[in-house]
Amino acid sequence: MRKPIIAGNWKMYKTAAEAKAFAEEVKTALPSAEKVDAVICAPALFLQNLVESAGNTDLKIGAQTMHEEKEGAFTGEVSPVQLKDLGVEYVIIGHSERRQYFNETDESANRKVVSAFEHGLKPILCVGESLEQRDSGDTGNVVEAQVEKGVARLSAEQAAELVIAYEPIWAIGTGKTATAEDANEVCGIIRKKIESLYNEETAGAVRIQYGGSVKPANIEELMNMEHIDGALVGGASLEAESFLKLLEAGA
Ligand code: PEP
């Protein structure tokens, strides 16, 4: 059985005080970690404080991106070694906003995924089609190609540990959610692709999240789907009360 994973992506929101208040509130009301993995992916600036606030609780902290190199002359970047050193556990890789505004590609996402595993971080690899690609019937091909390139050079053991977030670009931050059936269909395509690249066991283990305007009102329907193992959530992860409701639905 795959354990559900609900991850909040705060993007470039919150002050340090707000981040701390959120962690203090959420950590006391978390559902059991045996039932759901609860992750907050925060701006790099707040990671240390959040790791400290989360302490020994089951609230896990993730970064929103990282550089693929362990160190070097890369002004403004954060390395996997630095994240690991802080106690960060997860890292989002290849989010569509990184692809759109910061020139990230399937190839750079793959280098980062490989590096994240090398340095003991758990990557959440984002894939998803644009509205144009969906309208022209290309969703399956686009997502399969993103997955194949994204997992290149990963062993079957690593692929089984990977979290893949299926996030149709047209559903992110727009209030439009894919129907649970459509989301499940694409998550199923992703699982099949992993099976064809590795084997049935790996495909059965990899956790696939849906992301795109997930909120307390629609998460249950999504979580009831066969191939959806959790959610990557932007807007609705910003308030503690709403994040806790998402966790309850995931547990
Ligand atoms: C995201 O940031 O990955 C996301 C899915 O955002 P939202 O939930 O706001 O659509």
Side-chain angles (χ1 to χ4, degrees):
M1 268 308 284
R2 297 181 294 269
K3 198 207 297 186
I5 173 166
I6 308 291
N9 172 19
W10 281 356
K11 312 193 188 203
M12 200 170 68
Y13 290 102
K14 288 199 186 291
T15 62
E18 288 166 353
K20 189 170 170 51
F22 178 104
E24 295 300 325
E25 184 174 346
V26 162
K27 73 180 186 188
T28 58
L30 288 173
S32 155
E34 279 167 24
K35 291 194 173 157
V36 61
D37 283 334
V39 186
I40 282 296
C41 299
L45 212 51
F46 308 145
L47 292 173
Q48 179 161 16
N49 282 350
L50 283 172
V51 167
E52 281 167 15
S53 289
N56 289 332
T57 70
D58 292 323
L59 180 62
K60 305 299 177 199
I61 306 302
Q64 297 175 9
T65 184
M66 58 171 232
H67 197 279
E68 68 216 49
E69 296 291 338
K70 65 178 197 229
E71 61 184 8
F74 300 105
T75 301
E77 291 290 311
V78 173
S79 88
V81 172
Q82 292 166 334
L83 294 175
K84 183 74 188 169
D85 180 52
L86 286 189
V88 169
E89 203 168 317
Y90 287 86
V91 57
I92 299 173
I93 302 286
H95 190 280
S96 62
E97 288 153 15
R98 300 291 314 173
R99 294 176 191 248
Q100 183 178 355
Y101 303 121
F102 302 99
N103 303 321
E104 294 199 10
T105 61
D106 291 328
E107 289 70 24
S108 65
N110 174 248
R111 291 194 297 274
K112 291 179 185 205
V113 165
V114 169
S115 171
F117 275 121
E118 249 171 43
H119 295 100
L121 296 167
K122 297 174 183 162
I124 300 175
L125 170 67
C126 298
V127 299
E129 82 287 2
S130 65
L131 189 55
E132 209 183 353
Q133 289 164 331
R134 170 156 286 256
D135 287 345
S136 53
D138 282 341
T139 299
N141 289 339
V142 166
V143 169
E144 280 184 340
Q146 288 174 330
V147 169
E148 181 158 7
K149 290 179 190 165
V151 303
R153 296 179 292 141
L154 293 189
S155 67
E157 290 70 28
Q158 288 172 325
E161 287 294 309
L162 184 64
V163 177
I164 299 177
Y166 166 56
E167 298 207 309
I169 297 168
W170 50 269
I172 298 177
T174 59
K176 291 183 195 156
T177 325
T179 65
E181 289 74 20
D182 285 348
N184 186 53
E185 187 186 343
V186 182
C187 291
I189 290 172
I190 292 171
R191 202 175 298 288
K192 268 263 161 265
K193 187 70 193 171
I194 293 291
E195 184 177 336
S196 78
L197 292 169
Y198 295 94
N199 52 52
E200 207 180 324
E201 195 188 338
T202 306
V206 67
R207 292 188 291 176
I208 305 175
Q209 297 174 311
Y210 169 76
S213 300
V214 175
K215 42 189 179 286
N218 60 21
I219 190 166
E220 259 171 53
E221 197 188 356
L222 290 159
M223 291 302 298
N224 282 336
M225 293 288 146
E226 180 186 357
H227 294 294
I228 300 179
D229 306 314
L232 181 57
V233 188
S237 73
L238 287 167
E239 298 302 326
E241 195 188 333
S242 160
F243 186 64
L244 286 168
K245 282 187 187 154
L246 296 170
L247 292 179
E248 286 300 336

